[in-house]
Amino acid sequence: MALALILFLMLPACTDRNRPTVEDWQPKWRAALAVLPDPSAIGVEPDGALCNETLAALRSIRPELTPTPDRAIDDAVQEWFQIAEDAFFECPPRSGPIGSFVDAYDELFRLEAEVNLVLGIDG
């Protein structure tokens, strides 16, 4: 029984060894953030090519950000990508909880701040 308890307590430490350091992960996170066009450049009816390029870039970089350096941000990073991809797939977003690019960017900025706060990254 004692051996099982020790193994159970050691399991999280073993799985976290596969996570990157903040220093290794942060440049990829910044690259993902840089993929998004400036909100003022999008306009009400954005160019379809801009949306397609942004969506492709987001889908390309997403696998590089998993795993994250900390479990506490796993959900926030996944949600950030989901919102960004949904917004640029629908282009402009018109349905669901994200009804516009303004709504999408507001939520993306909130999630970015959450990730940066947990990791101690200056935004």
Side-chain angles (χ1 to χ4, degrees):
M1 180 70 157
L3 181 59
L5 179 59
I6 291 170
L7 291 174
F8 177 75
L9 293 174
M10 289 177 55
L11 184 60
C14 293
T15 58
D16 281 351
R17 289 184 196 169
N18 294 329
R19 290 183 179 271
T21 65
V22 172
E23 293 77 23
D24 290 339
W25 188 84
Q26 183 178 357
K28 297 171 189 171
W29 176 237
R30 291 199 190 278
L33 298 174
V35 164
L36 296 180
D38 186 88
S40 63
I42 295 174
V44 177
E45 290 295 328
D47 178 52
L50 174 67
C51 290
N52 290 336
E53 289 170 16
T54 303
L55 182 60
L58 287 166
R59 288 180 174 169
S60 174
I61 200 164
R62 186 177 194 168
E64 297 178 32
L65 288 155
T66 304
T68 69
D70 191 314
R71 291 174 201 231
I73 63 166
D74 286 350
D75 291 342
V77 170
Q78 291 305 316
E79 187 177 355
W80 187 92
F81 273 101
Q82 191 62 53
I83 291 169
E85 288 177 11
D86 288 351
F88 285 94
F89 179 79
E90 198 168 341
C91 192
R94 293 191 171 117
S95 61
I98 305 298
S100 68
F101 274 120
V102 171
D103 294 340
Y105 272 81
D106 285 347
E107 190 61 13
L108 292 171
F109 291 144
R110 184 192 68 75
L111 291 164
E112 175 186 350
E114 181 180 327
V115 168
N116 291 348
L117 178 67
V118 169
L119 297 182
I121 298 173
D122 292 328

